[in-house]
Amino acid sequence: EIVIKTEKLNRDLCIDQMESFFKSVKRCLEDHELVVQVQASMTSESKFLFRKNYAKYEFFKNPLNFFPEQMVAWCQETNGTIPPSQLLQNFLNSSSCPEIQGYLYVKEMGRKSWKKLYVFLRRSGLYFSTKGTSKEPRHLQLLADLEDSNVFTVITGRKLHNAPTDFEFCIKPNKVRNEVKELRMLCAEDEQSRTCWMTAFRLFKYGILLYQNYKIPQQRKTLLSHFSAPVRSVSENSLVAMDFSGRIGRVIDNPVEAQSAAMEEGHAWRVGSNDCSPSFCISSDPVIHRTQLWFHGRISREESHKLIHQQGRVDGMFLLRDSQSNPKAFVLTMCHHQKIKHFQILPCEEDGQMFLSLDDGATKFTDLIQLVEFYTLNRGVLPCKLKHPCTTVAL
């Protein structure tokens, strides 16, 4: 994925050489866009930022998380009883007329003030009502055209021009390079609303092309899987269930017995065996977790939110950090159902050995790497398994 990020290097940060209006704006390039063409329209102050974004096509998997019922006109007309597949088909079908509606703060042209307006996003453009929430044609005025424009996320713009919320975005015509007056600055009430508006903008503009971008890589993987078997190591192919409870080991042929043995072994690891060897109970390097990509050291809760948001608020996105309130503890920060949650990892002692646990000692680990590996395979007390490590992005 490529993100366009524009910023001024030698004075107040802005977009495309504009006077200190933004600190930073960015947008995600679509898979069908040609980087060379995009670069040709950029100024020398703009740059490409390469990073992961797990949420780029997440709305195809969980559309109801991206489109609240109260914001979709079609949902309201049908009392919200819409299957997720129909909701997306309505957006992708060029002959249908879906509509996103709700209040947005709109920056007045040539002024520093913002006005709260009831806005409608349609295939034909972005409109606002001059009379309350009326959608009669005589009460609608065009705010922005979608066909020859792009939608950008505005970063830290609130401090620079007195935006009413932190959830700011803008619509910029492609032909505009230096004219601030041509930009449409908008603010949503919360992150979910901003995501809804920006996702709908992408769907209205690109339609079925977005769905093709999403499906083609998956179809290639399916096609390749038919012609090539999964590559497994020699040791993995030769793995068998063994029983070492007697004087000599034996192969467990009964599948039920093998599954039972595996469950017992997992239970012994979960509660912490008293007769385990010292090499297992004591971490050989107590700070080895600091070399892991998912560990971010002493960052704040707000910074952890920002990192996860940058790489996509999808289920299982996670990072670990030092606890700010307890110098001996750590915090697991993860995302589930578009919400970011925090779990404190505390040290605990048993039989003179120190362990780490996030469930009050029910499951104990010798180090953070072991903890992450466990919750990658098992949900445990977490809302979901750990899936996507949130890594530090380097330019």
Side-chain angles (χ1 to χ4, degrees), residues 308-374:
I308 287 183
H309 176 69
Q310 286 177 347
Q311 295 188 32
R313 293 184 304 161
V314 297
D315 287 358
M317 173 72 70
F318 75 96
L319 62 84
L320 274 78
R321 57 188 174 89
D322 289 314
S323 172
Q324 292 186 310
S325 58
N326 185 345
K328 295 183 179 181
F330 304 95
V331 177
L332 167 66
T333 301
M334 67 177 298
C335 184
H336 182 247
H337 287 176
Q338 301 241 321
K339 295 182 180 179
I340 299 177
K341 302 179 181 181
H342 305 270
F343 299 87
Q344 196 167 46
I345 303 170
L346 296 171
C348 59
E349 184 177 354
E350 182 176 291
D351 296 333
Q353 302 290 344
M354 293 302 300
F355 297 92
L356 295 171
S357 176
L358 56 72
D359 56 7
D360 297 325
T363 313
K364 296 180 284 290
F365 306 94
T366 59
D367 55 44
L368 292 180
I369 295 179
Q370 193 182 77
L371 181 145
V372 169
E373 288 177 348
F374 177 83

Side-chain angles (χ1 to χ4, degrees), residues 118 120 128-140:
Y118 202 76
F120 303 89
F128 74 94
S129 176
T130 58
K131 186 176 182 181
T133 59
S134 172
K135 59 171 68 176
E136 292 185 27
R138 60 194 178 97
H139 295 147
L140 297 183

Side-chain angles (χ1 to χ4, degrees), residues 166-370:
D166 291 320
F167 312 105
E168 189 175 353
F169 62 104
C170 72
I171 296 176
K172 173 184 175 293
N174 295 333
K175 62 181 180 180
V176 174
R177 294 177 67 86
N178 299 319
E179 294 295 328
V180 176
K181 63 182 181 180
E182 294 292 334
L183 289 179
R184 273 299 178 184
M185 298 299 306
L186 309 163
C187 269
E189 293 283 1
D190 50 46
E191 184 58 52
Q192 186 184 34
S193 298
R194 177 168 70 173
T195 302
C196 178
W197 288 105
M198 296 184 70
T199 303
F201 182 100
R202 293 172 61 201
L203 282 168
F204 281 142
K205 181 174 181 179
Y206 299 114
I208 196 65
L209 196 54
L210 271 190
Y211 187 71
Q212 293 172 349
N213 292 343
Y214 165 63
K215 293 297 291 185
I216 288 175
Q218 294 185 332
Q219 293 170 350
R220 288 174 180 169
K221 289 180 181 179
T222 303
L223 184 63
L224 289 174
S225 66
H226 289 309
F227 294 98
S228 60
V231 178
R232 303 180 68 186
S233 65
V234 175
S235 60
E236 186 180 355
N237 281 319
S238 60
L239 289 177
V240 293
M242 297 288 294
D243 176 18
F244 294 100
S245 59
R247 294 180 60 185
I248 60 173
R250 69 179 180 89
V251 176
I252 302 177
D253 296 319
N254 189 330
V256 177
E257 184 185 358
Q259 185 177 11
S260 177
M263 292 179 64
E264 289 179 6
E265 184 178 354
H267 179 71
W269 181 35
R270 176 181 175 87
V271 300
S273 177
N274 291 329
D275 57 353
C276 60
S277 62
S279 61
F280 179 79
C281 291
I282 303 174
S283 176
S284 58
D285 188 349
V287 295
I288 192 173
H289 57 267
R290 298 191 179 276
T291 65
Q292 303 302 304
L293 295 176
W294 39 255
F295 189 78
H296 292 260
R298 293 190 60 80
I299 63 172
S300 65
R301 174 183 287 240
E302 291 73 23
E303 289 172 319
S304 68
H305 282 220
K306 182 179 178 181
L307 283 170
I308 287 183
H309 176 69
Q310 286 177 347
Q311 295 188 32
R313 293 184 304 161
V314 297
D315 287 358
M317 173 72 70
F318 75 96
L319 62 84
L320 274 78
R321 57 188 174 89
D322 289 314
S323 172
Q324 292 186 310
S325 58
N326 185 345
K328 295 183 179 181
F330 304 95
V331 177
L332 167 66
T333 301
M334 67 177 298
C335 184
H336 182 247
H337 287 176
Q338 301 241 321
K339 295 182 180 179
I340 299 177
K341 302 179 181 181
H342 305 270
F343 299 87
Q344 196 167 46
I345 303 170
L346 296 171
C348 59
E349 184 177 354
E350 182 176 291
D351 296 333
Q353 302 290 344
M354 293 302 300
F355 297 92
L356 295 171
S357 176
L358 56 72
D359 56 7
D360 297 325
T363 313
K364 296 180 284 290
F365 306 94
T366 59
D367 55 44
L368 292 180
I369 295 179
Q370 193 182 77

